[in-house]
Amino acid sequence: MKQSKKYAASLALIEKGKKYSIDEACALVKKTATAKWDESIDVSFKLNIDPKQADQQLRGTIVLPHGNGKTVRVLAITDKVSEAKEAGADFVGQQDLLDKIQKENWFDFDVIVATPNMMGLLGRMGRVLGPKGLMPNPKTGTVTPNIGEAIKQIKNGKVSYRNDKDGNLAIQFGKASFEASALADNLKAIVDTVNRVRPATIKGTYIRTAVISSTYGPAIKLAI
């Protein structure tokens, strides 16, 4: 495939075969983001895990120190209406909003949070919400009696992660407009979390490769 002039210029900034420190990589990735709009910055890990094994599946959340630049629309299914609204939820309701999803195919939100007493209603929505990855889950902190705190965390930069079927893990951790130091802080938080949740049954190398890139930029290898 023929490379564009901009991509080729970005690629030329990266030393072939070199693995960069987190600080170096975050400074460099800003230079490789040449689009006219604010490109997303992502990290991708190739992990030595077997996703078919239940104890080797990675799923959870990370609160990024500087957020990831995305505006997250939160739907709260709860009877704690005032608490949810004060915390910043974009939509708050119960069966009325679940009916809107089913009858009108309404999905103008990114995350659903719920109090435990609402899971009976949400359980009937599994076939609708499950395939879209929207079903609330205690493991990701989206089912909790402290719904106000959960909403605030999501609004302030809490992101979910989950490995794919091939053992890869990809997370957006910022925008090209971020300061390099903010990108580095976010990336360090992610690397620390990935290392912390390493399955006990893994032998040998755990993180096989890790790279960061802007939306249209080339991959920059990390030395971690």
Side-chain angles (χ1 to χ4, degrees):
M1 184 179 294
K2 187 177 180 179
Q3 294 178 353
S4 70
K5 289 182 179 180
K6 285 186 177 181
Y7 184 90
S10 295
L11 189 61
L13 297 174
I14 302 169
E15 187 177 328
K16 190 174 182 180
K18 179 177 178 178
K19 292 184 178 181
Y20 292 83
S21 70
I22 287 177
D23 289 329
E24 290 174 329
C26 288
L28 183 55
V29 76
K30 285 175 60 65
K31 298 177 182 178
T32 66
T34 57
K36 293 181 180 179
W37 51 278
D38 197 8
E39 294 183 53
S40 297
I41 309 297
D42 302 290
V43 59
S44 298
F45 298 92
K46 184 174 179 60
L47 302 174
N48 177 26
I49 60 173
D50 180 2
K52 295 180 181 178
Q53 305 299 319
D55 62 348
Q56 292 188 28
Q57 295 175 7
L58 306 185
R59 184 179 185 182
T61 59
I62 307 169
V63 177
L64 299 178
H66 305 282
N68 67 354
K70 290 179 67 175
T71 300
V72 182
R73 298 165 299 175
V74 177
L75 165 61
I77 302 299
T78 180
D79 52 359
K80 297 182 177 181
V81 177
S82 296
E83 182 180 342
K85 287 183 176 179
E86 288 174 7
D90 298 275
F91 308 100
V92 184
Q94 298 179 37
Q95 189 63 58
D96 56 330
L97 293 182
L98 297 181
D99 288 342
K100 185 177 176 69
I101 292 170
Q102 275 195 317
K103 296 176 181 178
E104 301 177 23
N105 197 34
W106 175 69
F107 289 100
D108 293 339
F109 52 87
D110 304 296
V111 178
I112 301 177
V113 294
T115 41
N117 62 332
M118 294 289 127
M119 289 310 294
L121 299 177
L122 279 157
R124 304 167 197 161
M125 301 283 291
R127 292 183 180 179
V128 177
L129 301 176
K132 293 181 178 291
L134 291 170
M135 180 61 76
N137 190 309
K139 291 183 179 180
T140 59
T142 48
V143 178
T144 172
N146 301 317
I147 196 161
E149 182 61 28
I151 293 167
K152 288 177 183 178
Q153 287 186 346
I154 292 169
K155 288 288 188 177
N156 291 333
K158 184 177 182 179
V159 297
S160 298
Y161 65 85
R162 188 175 189 175
N163 64 266
D164 66 15
K165 61 182 179 63
D166 297 314
N168 304 311
L169 185 64
I171 302 172
Q172 179 185 325
F173 68 98
K175 294 280 192 175
S177 59
F178 280 29
E179 294 291 336
S181 58
L183 290 173
D185 288 344
N186 283 351
L187 183 53
K188 288 171 184 174
I190 292 171
V191 171
D192 288 346
T193 298
V194 171
N195 278 318
R196 179 172 51 79
V197 299
R198 172 179 175 147
T201 52
I202 296 297
K203 305 298 181 183
T205 302
Y206 170 48
I207 299 177
R208 288 174 169 165
T209 60
V211 301
I212 67 171
S213 64
S214 59
T215 303
Y216 291 122
I220 300 169
K221 295 180 181 178
L222 296 176
I224 56 174

